[in-house]
Amino acid sequence: MSERIKVGISIGDVNGIGLEVIIKTLADSRVFDYCTPIVYGHTKVASFHRRSCEITELNFNVISNAAEAQHQKANMINCWEEDVKIDLGVANETGGKYAFLSLQKATDDLLAGHIDALVTAPINKDNIQSEQFDFPGHTEYLQQRDNAADSLMFLVSDTLRVGVVTGHIPVAKVPQAISVEKILSKLKLMNTSLQKDFWIRKPKIAVLGLNPHAGDNGLIGNEEQSVIIPAVEEARANDILAFGPYAADGFFANATYMQFDAVLAMYHDQGLIPFKTIAFESGVNFTAGLSFVRTSPDHGTAYDIAGKNQASEVSFREALFTAIHVVKHRRENLVLSEDPLKFTKLSRDRD
């Protein structure tokens, strides 16, 4: 339990703000008291970004593999040898190419057990596409690499947690993509994650409707009656405290979400717009349902401010500490399952 947590960090698009928020986070040496960070990128690219955000006190310890990582230092693994032309604020093939090389190497180490968690800086979902990366985003790529049957895009903060049934798909395809089975699968993943990753013993989960006013009893669509309500009822039969469906607009406007431990939205923008409005600075994207821990900040590449020293590192720092906390919670749950008496002593000592 005392082993220092190694957190791998992929740099995202080299032309975006990823390295800026990484550098600003690691420039605070207090971070090293909680984890050993390992950045997957290249020192020359990092130096370019370090100069643009006017940080001189941070020096990367260059290592060839994760086993060489040193505590109390920001470690860097060079994932390529060639020089890279940086075009800050420009979406181009270069940004996608090196974002993938960083992500691929970090994921390889994660799956091999060389690091304990992965924090991903933002990618451009368009320019990263290739024969090796044919996915809508990080979540789908990591689910495939983990051979997981399902996963949950789970946006979390201190005040709000929101998951989505459908992720990066066109809105026009959402009604056909939701089903009783899919909603139930997401509810099971959310419930398990809340218990195992966030230590909420009996989570209460709100489920949103698909249509305006949650369908108004079939007046504005029937997905609530035919799909969502049966899924909620089946979830409750499986000992999951699910409630709803709720009309999304009033649910957030009246702060009803504060009565629940998490919210399951039907599609991307239904969940992410209110989440980012309420918790943008502190929000974290967590992928639930995987065998490993992965988080990311809840913002994108922000090309418009790249290189201007304007990006806030708050969300990235929250993503880093969320990863650390989830790893600790999973370790402690493992101790609990193996030796309840030892866990009781551990909890007492920690308190």
Side-chain angles (χ1 to χ4, degrees):
M1 294 299 298
S2 61
E3 181 184 351
R4 186 68 57 90
I5 294 171
K6 290 183 178 179
V7 179
I9 299 172
S10 62
I11 63 172
D13 194 309
V14 296
N15 295 322
I17 64 167
L19 269 164
E20 179 177 338
V21 297
I22 292 169
I23 289 167
K24 287 180 176 179
T25 298
L26 300 184
D28 185 343
S29 61
R30 292 175 295 180
V31 168
F32 307 140
D33 293 334
Y34 300 93
C35 72
T36 301
I38 304 171
V39 180
Y40 291 78
H42 199 284
T43 48
K44 287 185 178 180
V45 176
S47 295
F48 183 94
H49 282 270
R50 190 180 60 180
R51 289 192 298 272
S52 70
C53 57
E54 301 176 359
I55 291 178
T56 59
E57 63 272 20
L58 177 67
N59 292 304
F60 284 99
N61 175 49
V62 181
I63 56 177
S64 59
N65 59 70
E68 297 176 354
Q70 294 186 27
H71 303 317
Q72 296 297 324
K73 288 187 178 182
N75 300 277
M76 170 81 72
I77 293 178
N78 288 331
C79 298
W80 56 84
E81 297 181 359
E82 66 272 21
D83 291 335
V84 178
K85 185 179 183 297
I86 307 297
D87 293 304
L88 290 172
V90 177
N92 59 24
E93 183 180 339
T94 297
K97 174 183 177 180
Y98 294 100
F100 176 70
L101 290 177
S102 169
L103 175 64
Q104 182 183 46
K105 174 59 177 171
T107 306
D108 288 346
D109 278 1
L110 184 66
L111 292 170
H114 300 321
I115 56 177
D116 301 302
L118 172 64
V119 182
T120 58
I123 59 172
N124 179 318
K125 296 176 178 62
D126 179 40
N127 68 22
I128 197 174
Q129 297 299 316
S130 67
E131 291 183 0
Q132 294 175 295
F133 190 99
D134 184 19
F135 302 91
H138 277 117
T139 302
E140 295 81 4
Y141 170 77
L142 292 168
Q143 179 182 330
Q144 190 270 341
R145 290 293 308 271
D146 194 38
N147 292 318
D150 198 3
S151 65
L152 175 72
M153 184 189 298
F154 202 9
L155 282 294
V156 300
S157 74
D158 289 339
T159 56
L160 177 62
R161 302 180 188 91
V162 176
V164 293
V165 175
T166 60
H168 299 116
I169 66 171
V171 174
K173 295 183 179 180
V174 170
Q176 293 75 36
I178 65 172
S179 64
V180 173
E181 294 76 20
K182 190 161 189 175
I183 295 172
L184 184 61
S185 176
K186 301 298 184 183
L187 283 170
K188 288 180 178 178
L189 288 175
M190 180 178 283
N191 189 67
T192 299
S193 179
L194 289 168
Q195 292 174 330
K196 181 176 68 173
D197 300 327
F198 298 95
W199 277 39
I200 301 172
R201 182 169 296 180
K202 293 292 290 183
K204 290 176 60 180
I205 301 172
V207 180
L208 301 182
L210 173 66
N211 298 294
H213 308 293
D216 263 349
N217 294 318
L219 182 65
I220 318 175
N222 61 9
E223 285 85 0
E224 283 74 19
Q225 280 74 25
S226 63
V227 179
I228 301 175
I229 291 175
V232 171
E233 291 175 346
E234 190 166 347
R236 292 179 70 87
N238 281 272
D239 201 30
I240 297 173
L241 297 180
F243 302 85
Y246 294 93
D249 54 353
F251 181 84
F252 290 105
N254 297 325
T256 308
Y257 65 87
M258 297 185 71
Q259 301 173 23
F260 296 90
D261 298 299
V263 182
L264 183 66
M266 291 298 110
Y267 58 95
H268 184 280
D269 282 13
Q270 185 188 50
L272 269 66
I273 288 175
F275 180 86
K276 292 188 176 184
T277 301
I278 295 167
F280 185 68
E281 275 292 311
S282 61
V284 173
N285 183 2
F286 170 60
T287 307
L290 302 182
S291 65
F292 50 75
V293 176
R294 176 261 172 165
T295 65
S296 73
D298 70 348
H299 57 71
T301 54
Y303 290 130
D304 57 322
I305 62 171
K308 298 179 181 179
N309 198 17
Q310 296 177 3
S312 169
E313 73 276 18
V314 173
S315 182
F316 186 87
R317 185 173 64 236
E318 289 296 323
L320 178 65
F321 278 100
T322 297
I324 294 167
H325 291 320
V326 173
V327 170
K328 288 183 176 179
H329 288 166
R330 289 190 179 186
R331 287 180 177 180
E332 291 175 359
N333 269 310
L334 184 60
V335 174
L336 173 61
S337 63
E338 293 177 348
D339 188 346
L341 293 178
K342 182 178 179 181
F343 179 80
T344 300
K345 182 180 184 300
L346 172 68
S347 300
R348 188 185 305 117
D349 292 344
R350 184 178 58 188
D351 294 339

